[in-house]
Amino acid sequence: MPRKSFVPGAAVVAAAALAVGLAGCSGGSSQDGSGADAKDGGAASSNPAAEPGRYQTLPEACGLPSRSAIRGMLPGDDTSLSPAEADKLYRGQADITYDTDRRVGCRWTRETTAGTRHLGLDIQRVVSYDGAVSDDDKAKEIYDSKAQAAQIPSGAGSPSPASPSPSTPKDKNKATDKATDKAKGTGTVTNSAPDTKGKDASASPSQSSGPSAQPSGSTAPRVLDDLADDAFLNDKLVTADSGVHRDVTVVFRTSNVIVTLTYDQWSTDKTMLPDSQELQDKARSLAGELSDNLSE
């Protein structure tokens, strides 16, 4: 059978038709935004990604505070310590972490005849995986959730701690003594500020009427206006069968880094309540140093 002859014109027409068809398909994809090019151009490219946070790495947590600051947080007789013991005490114990660019921490503990003190440091670098949300905004969202969970009153923070009035210690002792008496046999959490209206100071946070019911005062849980971008301080007195301890927490945010500082003092003698003002002053001082060191 004779072979059919090849017609060049037909091939050209077929190729042109194919090109038109492909162009039509490509145009349809870009119109409804489902095409691959929609990720690289068009309206999507007119909205640049949100700015990254200031911090791309984290410092070594145990080395961030100065040795003198740690010594002040963990008072005691250093003459009884050998050089090796003192170095181990003030060097701290680093937290185990799987990504030191995202989260680091350190812990210090000292036992004395006056009780045991614990100091903890947690540093988190926040990264937003939403192109429309900056790292700073994501960190702010996480910080706000921490403040809400701690029931920190909203609004302007209180001024720097001032010396209490002559009547404050007496009222404070009444409130804390009431909390201790009611807490025998059970663990009880109380707010640090005295209840000057005669309310039950041993009521747990879930029994109170909310953050607005928190009494104001230099030692009350509050926002700290003079620390980093955002900051708050929380103070709780906890009594149990094993003794009493006061927990002071300072949380602050600087750009996309959130720092949580925990400082507590334990006492087996329930009549020797840890002093709120001392613990708060030391915690705030260290938080200020940490904020300055992070900003360098």
Side-chain angles (χ1 to χ4, degrees):
M1 176 181 288
R3 301 174 68 180
K4 293 183 179 179
S5 59
F6 175 71
V7 182
V12 173
V13 173
L18 178 60
V20 172
L22 291 175
C25 292
S26 176
S29 298
S30 61
Q31 289 176 357
D32 61 12
S34 61
D37 291 342
K39 297 180 180 180
D40 301 325
S45 62
S46 64
N47 296 323
E51 289 292 329
R54 173 182 179 182
Y55 301 95
Q56 302 301 312
T57 60
L58 288 176
E60 195 274 315
C62 293
L64 189 61
S66 64
R67 178 65 66 93
S68 60
I70 298 300
R71 184 179 291 110
M73 303 287 282
L74 307 174
D77 182 15
D78 286 352
T79 60
S80 61
L81 299 175
S82 67
E85 290 173 333
D87 181 70
K88 180 179 180 180
L89 170 65
Y90 297 123
R91 184 175 65 246
Q93 178 66 46
D95 291 347
I96 298 176
T97 181
Y98 298 99
D99 187 350
T100 55
D101 283 335
R102 292 295 301 276
R103 196 159 204 157
V104 293
C106 193
R107 299 288 180 271
W108 295 263
T109 300
R110 184 168 197 177
E111 297 181 6
T112 67
T113 55
T116 302
R117 298 203 186 197
H118 302 90
L119 174 64
L121 182 60
D122 177 84
I123 309 175
Q124 177 186 5
R125 183 174 70 90
V126 178
V127 177
S128 172
Y129 294 101
D130 185 344
V133 180
S134 68
D135 293 346
D136 282 23
D137 289 342
K138 184 63 178 178
K140 172 66 172 174
E141 178 184 333
I142 295 175
Y143 166 84
D144 288 342
S145 66
K146 290 178 177 290
Q148 183 177 7
Q151 295 187 319
I152 302 301
S154 59
S158 58
S160 299
S163 299
S165 62
S167 61
T168 299
K170 182 178 180 180
D171 293 338
K172 182 178 180 180
N173 289 336
K174 287 182 178 180
T176 50
D177 288 343
K178 185 187 295 184
T180 303
D181 293 339
K182 282 181 169 290
K184 291 181 178 180
T186 60
T188 304
V189 180
T190 64
N191 294 318
S192 65
D195 191 337
T196 58
K197 295 184 179 180
K199 296 179 182 178
D200 186 0
S202 66
S204 64
S206 60
Q207 295 172 320
S208 66
S209 57
S212 61
Q214 302 285 352
S216 60
S218 63
T219 59
R222 63 198 181 277
V223 172
L224 301 177
D225 292 328
D226 56 350
L227 177 63
D229 295 328
D230 298 289
F232 70 81
L233 181 147
N234 200 13
D235 186 331
K236 292 182 178 180
L237 180 67
V238 182
T239 56
D241 290 339
S242 57
V244 59
H245 61 95
R246 183 176 295 281
D247 302 333
V248 174
T249 303
V250 176
V251 178
F252 69 87
R253 178 187 71 85
T254 174
S255 185
N256 62 318
V257 165
I258 298 175
V259 177
T260 301
L261 186 158
T262 56
Y263 185 41
D264 62 67
Q265 180 179 359
W266 290 68
S267 174
T268 56
D269 185 355
K270 293 182 180 180
T271 64
M272 299 295 292
L273 300 181
D275 183 69
S276 179
Q277 192 72 66
E278 180 207 353
L279 297 182
Q280 287 195 24
D281 287 348
K282 290 184 176 182
R284 287 191 60 172
S285 177
L286 180 58
E289 177 183 315
L290 297 176
S291 179
D292 291 342
N293 290 344
L294 284 170
S295 300
E296 292 179 351

